[in-house]
Structures are given as structure tokens and as C-alpha cells.
Amino acid sequence: MKKFIAITLLSLASSVSMAATISLPDYLIFTAIDGKSVSNSAQMEVSPGQHLIELQFYDVFSSGADDTNFIKSDALYWSLHLTKDEDIQVRSKEIFSSTNAKKFIALPVITLDRDSVKGENVKLVNHEELMAIIMKQHSQMMQQ
């Protein structure tokens, strides 16, 4: 009986997958991971490996009672390679105005803080840039 319990506990422990938790600032949300839609969330668990993460900027700014400015980006893409299970905190420069939001969307750079590396800057790409990267990689593969 003890052997059965030990084997059961070991199989349960081995079936639990390790995952990193990625936390985004309030103005970014996850929309898809590896092409699979996810609920618009600011926190997600991701297992080690290569991932294509789709994000969206989403915020509301108001300069008065009658003046509300809603800012939303198209899809922004982030290629992430996780080698181990470590939590990642995403941040960027403070965005207090619609002008700052538009600047961020035009040049979306995030900063990653994790146990192994603090302050790693990553440029997000839009759909057009992502397709250009894929075509370049495809051309290089075809020439080999």
C-alpha cells in the first residue's frame, strides 16, 4: 500500500507542469499566446519554451468631465524564449497621457524584470513587422 501511495504521489508531482507567471502593467493585456486566444488578462502562466505572445495596449485618458480619450493599439507581438520557470514582471515608461500612449504604440518597448535578468528591454512588433521577420526567416531557410 505504501508503494502504491508513493507511486501515485510521484506521478501527480511529475504531471504538474512548471510555469512562469508573466505580469503586465495595467495598460497592456494578453490577447493570444502561440496563436490561441486568451481572455483579456494582465497576468498569464506560460511554460518554458518558445512562445509568440500577442498583446494589446488599452487605456482611457480624460482631461475633464466631458473629455474622454480611449486609446487602443492593434496587436503587438513579443517573441519570448523561456529556458526556466521564473516569474516575469513587464514594465515600461510611465504613461500618463494620450500623447505618451500614442508614442508607446508607435515605438512599443517593454522592460522585463525577472530573477536572472533585470531591466531587459524588448521591442514589440506590429503585424506588418512580424510578417517581415517571418518572411526573412523563411527566405533564409529556403536558401540552405
Side-chain angles (χ1 to χ4, degrees), residues 30-63:
F30 290 99
T31 54
I33 296 181
D34 299 329
K36 297 176 187 163
S37 293
V38 296
S39 62
N40 297 340
S41 171
Q43 193 172 52
M44 192 65 54
E45 286 192 2
V46 180
S47 60
Q50 185 67 39
H51 300 283
L52 181 62
I53 299 174
E54 183 179 311
L55 305 172
Q56 186 174 43
F57 180 93
Y58 183 93
D59 211 345
V60 178
F61 299 93
S62 62
S63 57

Side-chain angles (χ1 to χ4, degrees), residues 8-22:
T8 303
L9 289 175
L10 283 173
S11 66
L12 285 174
S14 65
S15 68
V16 174
S17 64
M18 299 300 287
T21 300
I22 302 173

Side-chain angles (χ1 to χ4, degrees), residues 10-138:
L10 283 173
S11 66
L12 285 174
S14 65
S15 68
V16 174
S17 64
M18 299 300 287
T21 300
I22 302 173
S23 301
L24 300 174
D26 293 341
Y27 48 84
L28 287 175
I29 55 173
F30 290 99
T31 54
I33 296 181
D34 299 329
K36 297 176 187 163
S37 293
V38 296
S39 62
N40 297 340
S41 171
Q43 193 172 52
M44 192 65 54
E45 286 192 2
V46 180
S47 60
Q50 185 67 39
H51 300 283
L52 181 62
I53 299 174
E54 183 179 311
L55 305 172
Q56 186 174 43
F57 180 93
Y58 183 93
D59 211 345
V60 178
F61 299 93
S62 62
S63 57
D66 294 335
D67 185 23
T68 300
N69 194 0
F70 176 72
I71 306 287
K72 177 179 167 183
S73 72
D74 290 333
L76 301 169
Y77 297 93
W78 169 23
S79 179
L80 173 67
H81 182 75
L82 283 174
T83 56
K84 58 184 176 179
D85 174 33
E86 62 180 341
D87 295 340
I88 300 172
Q89 181 67 44
V90 175
R91 60 184 171 85
S92 74
K93 293 182 179 179
E94 296 292 330
I95 299 176
F96 294 118
S97 68
S98 59
T99 302
N100 288 349
K102 290 174 186 175
K103 285 180 183 178
F104 175 81
I105 291 169
L107 185 61
V109 176
I110 57 175
T111 302
L112 310 181
D113 290 329
R114 48 180 143 183
D115 293 338
S116 60
V117 178
K118 301 257 189 252
E120 176 187 359
N121 288 328
V122 175
K123 182 186 183 304
L124 304 178
V125 297
N126 62 31
H127 189 262
E128 184 178 284
E129 293 167 321
L130 178 64
M131 291 297 106
I133 291 167
I134 291 170
M135 288 303 297
K136 184 177 180 180
Q137 289 174 348
H138 177 71

